[in-house]
């Protein structure tokens, strides 16, 4: 993949790949391989000189650049998304990805589930102005499990939306019931109404007495503030005389 021949081969493959994939409007590459066990872990004489974590992370980033270039040649308006873990030492080793190396090679970054606050901040620092998609996963996701899935609430999804600048990755549709689909609708409507706040707004560290810090988010954009309240608890909470049931949300433009 280091020679011109490979670049030329990629260019010839794009029309066929797009056709087989149904001419998608975006391309997402899910990369989750250990730095020394993935498809780029070559041990030929040349690559054996570069077997450390940094070198293998660079190889992944270089391939992303090659892939994006080939995609843009064929379909200039098609964004390349890369999905992996949030920025951390563990992600560089276990998933083979250093987001700081990828920021000039992709259009959107997508990271997976949970809410590691410090790692989310590190990811933003690594990717700069690239939109970040965060993830929310319904468990168990094993299709053979007979346990009842833990469904989405509006509060859960809105928390991830407030952390993101590029939307939320929801996993996955077959395990959603009516409650989850309703939560998706509620949060989608909010995100559509205040899209510029979620996409470009500055997240502020302000708190509200009596509310957990994780359930409060102020977002500032063009001189205005958006208050996002998410009741992740099991009882009704109040804000200025308004009841917010468990799992529900309140959004106000201040």
């Amino acid at each position: 993949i280091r020679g011109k021949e490979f670049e030329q081969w990629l260019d010839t493959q794009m029309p066929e790949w797009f056709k087989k994939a149904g001419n998608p409007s975006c391309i997402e590459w899910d990369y989750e391989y250990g730095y020394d066990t993935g498809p780029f872990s070559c041990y030929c004489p040349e690559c054996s000189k570069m077997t450390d974590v940094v070198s293998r992370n660079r190889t992944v980033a270089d391939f992303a650049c090659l892939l994006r270039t080939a995609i843009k040649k064929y379909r200039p308006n098609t964004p390349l998304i890369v999905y992996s873990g949030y920025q951390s030492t563990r992600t560089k080793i276990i998933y083979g990805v250093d987001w700081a190396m990828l920021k000039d090679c992709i259009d959107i970054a997508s990271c997976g589930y949970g809410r590691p606050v410090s790692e989310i901040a590190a990811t933003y620092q690594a990717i700069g102005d690239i939109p970040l998609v965060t993830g929310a996963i319904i468990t168990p996701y094993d299709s053979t499990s007979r346990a009842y899935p833990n469904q989405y609430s509006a509060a859960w999804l809105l928390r991830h939306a407030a952390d993101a600048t590029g939307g939320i990755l929801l996993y996955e549709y077959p395990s959603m019931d009516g409650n989850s689909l309703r939560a998706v609708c509620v949060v989608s409507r909010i995100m559509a109404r205040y899209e510029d706040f979620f996409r470009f707004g500055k997240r502020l560290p302000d708190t509200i007495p009596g509310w957990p810090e994780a359930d409060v988010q102020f977002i500032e954009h063009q001189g205005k503030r958006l208050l996002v309240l998410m009741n992740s608890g099991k009882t009704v909470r109040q804000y200025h005389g308004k009841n917010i049931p468990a799992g529900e949300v309140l959004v106000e433009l201040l």
Side-chain angles (χ1 to χ4, degrees):
I1 66 173
R2 301 186 193 279
K4 285 292 181 182
E5 294 84 358
F6 184 78
E7 292 183 36
Q8 295 168 359
W9 179 80
L10 269 183
D11 291 342
T12 63
Q13 295 304 301
M14 280 299 150
E16 181 181 350
W17 290 350
F18 265 82
K19 183 178 179 180
K20 285 184 176 180
N23 291 308
S25 58
C26 63
I27 303 294
E28 182 161 1
W29 182 29
D30 182 341
Y31 194 84
E32 301 177 68
Y33 293 96
Y35 82 97
D36 59 348
T37 60
F40 302 119
S41 301
C42 178
Y43 290 94
C44 72
E46 181 181 357
C47 291
S48 291
K49 302 172 187 176
M50 299 176 289
T51 58
D52 61 295
V53 176
V54 174
S55 295
R56 291 299 167 84
N57 292 165
R58 170 55 60 192
T59 301
V60 173
D62 288 345
F63 184 79
C65 287
L66 285 172
L67 186 59
R68 184 174 184 269
T69 298
I71 290 169
K72 298 297 185 181
K73 283 181 183 177
Y74 181 63
R75 292 284 174 84
N77 296 323
T78 303
L80 174 63
I81 308 166
V82 168
Y83 171 87
S84 195
Y86 289 102
Q87 180 78 342
S88 66
T89 300
R90 179 178 180 273
T91 293
K92 296 174 185 178
I93 297 171
I94 302 300
Y95 291 149
V97 164
D98 182 344
W99 288 106
M101 295 182 182
L102 279 165
K103 68 177 181 179
D104 296 324
C105 305
I106 60 176
D107 299 293
I108 299 171
S110 180
C111 293
Y113 313 101
R115 190 174 182 254
V117 177
S118 61
E119 292 182 12
I120 292 174
T123 306
Y124 275 116
Q125 185 175 8
I127 65 175
D129 295 331
I130 294 173
L132 175 64
V133 177
T134 60
I137 188 169
I138 293 176
T139 55
Y141 51 83
D142 179 359
S143 61
T144 64
S145 173
R146 301 185 71 84
Y148 187 75
N150 180 28
Q151 297 294 325
Y152 294 134
S153 69
W156 181 6
L157 295 186
L158 193 57
R159 177 65 269 174
H160 285 286
D163 289 331
T165 53
I168 322 168
L169 173 64
L170 306 178
Y171 195 87
E172 67 176 326
Y173 178 74
S175 55
M176 297 182 195
D177 69 0
N179 292 321
S180 282
L181 295 174
R182 175 191 171 277
V184 171
C185 292
V186 169
V187 174
S188 296
R189 188 178 298 114
I190 292 169
M191 293 177 71
R193 183 174 183 181
Y194 301 107
E195 181 174 353
D196 287 349
F197 283 88
F198 287 98
R199 176 65 182 90
F200 306 109
K202 180 181 180 181
R203 275 59 174 178
L204 304 174
D206 294 9
T207 59
I208 292 178
W211 279 76
E213 183 177 344
D215 288 356
V216 179
Q217 185 69 70
F218 287 89
I219 308 176
E220 187 176 70
H221 180 62
Q222 294 184 340
K224 297 181 180 180
R225 273 192 173 195
L226 188 70
L227 170 61
V228 179
L229 290 176
M230 301 145 287
N231 185 357
S232 64
K234 298 184 180 299
T235 60
V236 175
R237 289 184 184 147
Q238 284 197 335
Y239 174 74
H240 288 183
K242 298 177 181 178
N243 289 330
I244 307 174
E248 296 301 317
V249 299
L250 174 69
V251 176
E252 286 189 353
L253 188 60
L254 303 179

